[in-house]
Amino acid sequence: MKLEQIINKIKDNTKLVGREIAYQALLLYYAYPKAPKKIKAVIASSLAYFILPLDAVPDPIPFLGFLDDGVVLASAMAIVRLYVTQEIKDQTNKTLDRFFPKKDS
């Protein structure tokens, strides 16, 4: 699984995906290299579900399309959270800022 695939999915569906789902997907991606094998299986399967077009709920459906993806990613995050370091969070936020610029308050 390549970062480019995740980025393309986010970029092509920015408004539908939303920052939180994109954040979870990227956290999982960046946590993958240092995770144990069993955890890597969880990460790979959840990211594959996010990227692949076959879903329980089709992605183009407004508000619902990425709901199932979000549930899968959140479930994976519950398992992977121990392997997410501050460095991974910083790297994820840096990547996300390219697609979801912070609004001035």
Side-chain angles (χ1 to χ4, degrees):
M1 187 146 328
K2 296 182 181 180
L3 178 59
E4 181 180 323
Q5 293 171 301
I6 297 168
I7 295 296
N8 287 338
K9 182 78 170 200
I10 293 168
K11 188 167 60 173
D12 294 345
N13 301 284
T14 302
K15 290 183 179 179
L16 293 175
V17 171
R19 188 176 177 100
E20 185 58 35
I21 291 175
Y23 181 75
Q24 290 177 1
L26 289 170
L27 276 178
L28 291 168
Y29 176 81
Y30 289 129
Y32 183 87
K34 294 182 180 177
K37 285 185 182 182
K38 289 180 182 180
I39 301 300
K40 284 183 178 184
V42 170
I43 294 171
S45 60
S46 62
L47 289 177
Y49 188 85
F50 176 69
I51 292 171
L52 296 174
L54 298 173
D55 267 41
V57 179
D59 292 339
I61 297 174
F63 305 108
L64 296 176
F66 284 94
L67 182 61
D68 60 324
D69 297 79
V71 169
V72 169
L73 294 173
S75 299
M77 280 304 304
I79 296 167
V80 177
R81 73 184 189 289
L82 297 174
Y83 303 97
V84 176
T85 63
Q86 187 60 46
E87 180 183 342
I88 290 170
K89 290 177 184 178
D90 293 343
Q91 189 175 14
T92 297
N93 282 318
K94 183 178 177 184
T95 302
L96 278 180
D97 288 344
R98 294 178 15 212
F99 303 101
F100 300 93
K102 294 181 180 173
K103 296 177 184 177
D104 294 333
S105 302

